[in-house]
Amino acid sequence: MLTSCFARDFLIDGTLIAPSDPSEWKCKDDTCSQWITFHNISNLFITGSGTINGQGTQWWACKNCGTKATGFTISNSDNVYISDLTFMDSPQKHIGLESSTWVRATNLTITAPENSPNTDGIHVQQSQNVFIDQTLIGTGDDCISIGDGSAYLNISGITCGPGHGISVGSLGFNGANNTVEHVFVSDVVFRGTSNGARIKTWQTSAVEVSNVRYIDIHGASSGETAIKFACSETVPCTDISMDNIDLTSDGTSNTTSSCQNVQGTQHEVFPSVPCLTSN
């Protein structure tokens, strides 16, 4: 962990390699929640041509090894710039942005096998004014996941796959009142992902999904259901808008959509969503 009130450049060249065997981490009381952490720093520039290799293979296969570590974390910091690095095979999430503001992550490469569990590329939590762009992410979980307390995120120029797509959530666990707002996603290519863009909440009344816009989405779905809304009966999804959507099948069957408890409008959407009003 590096802690400082003022910092400038942190250059990573070569390869940083984590211990491969979980027992080598010598954790006590599940303290291995993070491997490399920058905490409470302002004006930090992390760049270089290096690779951060978490060597997570044995962690993924182990059921009783304790808490798996996030490979690289920025926490309680502001004005942070991360660029040009490669992250691979983290035991758990590759990059965590936690309780930080004004962070830009650009021109990164993040990879792990498709079957590696919980290896999100970038996870954002309790952070605001975050910019993620021009980055290649292919892992076993979400390319980018967005958790509670996150606001004013701009995600663009991402190539995602394999993985689970770009996800907001999960929100509302055990009835927690969670908030995510002002998230903008554009110019993203999904290849071989189980989902594209999705919002995940627990079936509680603690989270209301509203004011969501899906615009200019085109592609082919490997599954028959290309668009799915499954919202809460207690708190339906409201003010949902879809415009210029075309999701065909990558096979021989036609694509369909499904919806429950959602209110909103659609314009030039294929496959048409029966719960939405044509506009």
Side-chain angles (χ1 to χ4, degrees):
M1 178 182 294
L2 175 64
T3 302
S4 174
C5 293
F6 301 96
R8 294 301 296 174
D9 298 330
F10 195 92
L11 180 65
I12 301 176
D13 283 329
T15 302
L16 301 179
I17 303 176
S20 61
D21 188 335
S23 65
E24 295 179 26
W25 290 65
K26 296 180 171 56
C27 297
K28 296 180 180 179
D29 301 323
D30 290 335
T31 56
C32 278
S33 60
Q34 301 165 344
W35 175 32
I36 299 171
T37 299
F38 294 85
H39 177 74
N40 193 26
I41 298 178
S42 296
N43 306 317
L44 173 64
F45 297 82
I46 305 172
T47 61
S49 60
T51 297
I52 292 86
N53 184 348
Q55 293 208 105
T57 303
Q58 292 190 52
W59 280 104
W60 305 331
C62 185
K63 303 298 183 183
N64 299 302
C65 291
T67 301
K68 297 178 176 64
T70 296
F72 190 93
T73 302
I74 305 295
S75 65
N76 296 89
S77 298
D78 65 275
N79 295 319
V80 178
Y81 182 89
I82 311 167
S83 69
D84 304 318
L85 298 170
T86 296
F87 299 81
M88 62 182 293
D89 295 347
S90 178
Q92 195 182 224
K93 302 176 184 69
H94 285 76
I95 299 175
L97 306 178
E98 303 176 358
S99 301
S100 296
T101 61
W102 295 108
V103 179
R104 184 182 180 193
T106 183
N107 197 32
L108 305 177
T109 299
I110 305 172
T111 62
E114 185 174 3
N115 62 352
S116 58
N118 303 313
T119 52
D120 298 47
I122 301 175
H123 178 70
V124 184
Q125 187 91 11
Q126 298 289 339
S127 297
Q128 299 79 43
N129 299 304
V130 175
F131 301 82
I132 304 171
D133 63 271
Q134 310 307 319
T135 289
L136 171 66
I137 308 174
T139 69
D141 210 309
D142 295 326
C143 290
I144 299 173
S145 56
I146 303 165
D148 177 41
S150 300
Y152 300 100
L153 275 61
N154 192 306
I155 298 168
S156 64
I158 305 298
T159 299
C160 171
H164 295 175
I166 293 178
S167 300
V168 174
S170 297
L171 304 177
F173 180 65
N174 281 340
N177 192 345
N178 296 153
T179 302
V180 172
E181 57 186 352
H182 302 296
V183 177
F184 181 75
V185 179
S186 67
D187 302 312
V188 174
V189 175
F190 297 100
R191 292 196 179 102
T193 57
S194 58
N195 303 279
R198 63 175 177 167
I199 300 172
K200 304 183 293 180
T201 69
W202 294 88
Q203 189 72 281
T204 74
S205 59
V207 178
E208 176 184 359
V209 177
S210 65
N211 191 15
V212 182
R213 306 287 181 258
Y214 299 92
I215 304 171
D216 295 334
I217 300 175
H218 306 271
S221 172
S222 62
E224 182 179 345
T225 304
I227 300 172
K228 181 178 181 180
F229 291 98
C231 300
S232 169
E233 293 182 2
T234 307
V235 185
C237 299
T238 61
D239 193 16
I240 306 300
S241 174
M242 305 192 78
D243 187 6
N244 192 19
I245 312 294
D246 186 9
L247 296 174
T248 58
S249 172
D250 67 356
T252 58
S253 62
N254 293 325
T255 53
T256 62
S257 64
S258 67
C259 60
Q260 300 174 20
N261 309 309
V262 58
Q263 303 166 14
T265 62
Q266 61 181 333
H267 175 68
E268 296 185 353
V269 173
F270 180 85
S272 180
V273 183
C275 294
L276 300 181
T277 302
S278 296
N279 184 351

